[in-house]
Amino acid sequence: MKRVFVNLLLFFALLGLTPVYAQTTNKINAIAFADDEHGLMVGANGLIRRTEDGGKSWTDLAGPIQADWTGVALNGPFGLIIGRSADGRARILLSDDGGRTWREVEA
């Protein structure tokens, strides 16, 4: 397993990519970055995380509702998260402060 990890790091380095350390056991469904430093990660069980250091560390964020988040987009201060709640309803969250806070909009 260690050899596979080392090979992946070498592969990333050759492509000029930096690995992201997720620091979570939840399934990750999507990651988006607004620039080299600011990004969002979303996934199962309501996972919403934010980074301000290029993915070296992540902060958990509380969304206004619990859902399995499947997509995320970030453009400057504007963010969008989409997913599905346990009752099967489509859910949409919007942010206008770089993903620090979120509000639900009707789907």
Side-chain angles (χ1 to χ4, degrees):
M1 187 65 162
K2 184 177 181 181
R3 182 177 174 159
V4 171
F5 181 72
V6 171
N7 286 338
L8 282 173
L9 287 178
L10 179 59
F11 177 74
F12 283 132
L14 290 173
L15 291 177
L17 302 173
T18 303
V20 172
Y21 301 100
Q23 303 163 345
T24 184
T25 57
N26 284 337
K27 179 183 176 193
I28 300 166
N29 291 326
I31 298 175
F33 277 81
D35 54 41
D36 289 343
E37 300 296 315
H38 300 90
L40 293 168
M41 169 193 312
V42 298
N45 303 314
L47 176 71
I48 304 174
R49 304 191 93 195
R50 186 173 193 279
T51 184
E52 295 182 345
D53 59 12
K56 294 181 185 113
S57 64
W58 294 86
T59 303
D60 286 321
L61 300 174
I65 57 168
Q66 183 75 5
D68 283 334
W69 303 114
T70 56
V72 61
L74 193 58
N75 185 5
F78 303 105
L80 169 77
I81 296 176
I82 59 170
R84 196 164 292 283
S85 58
D87 63 4
R89 289 183 54 207
R91 300 295 187 160
I92 301 171
L93 300 181
L94 294 178
S95 174
D96 58 9
D97 61 6
R100 288 180 186 85
T101 60
W102 295 91
R103 69 184 183 285
E104 184 179 14
V105 296
E106 285 296 317

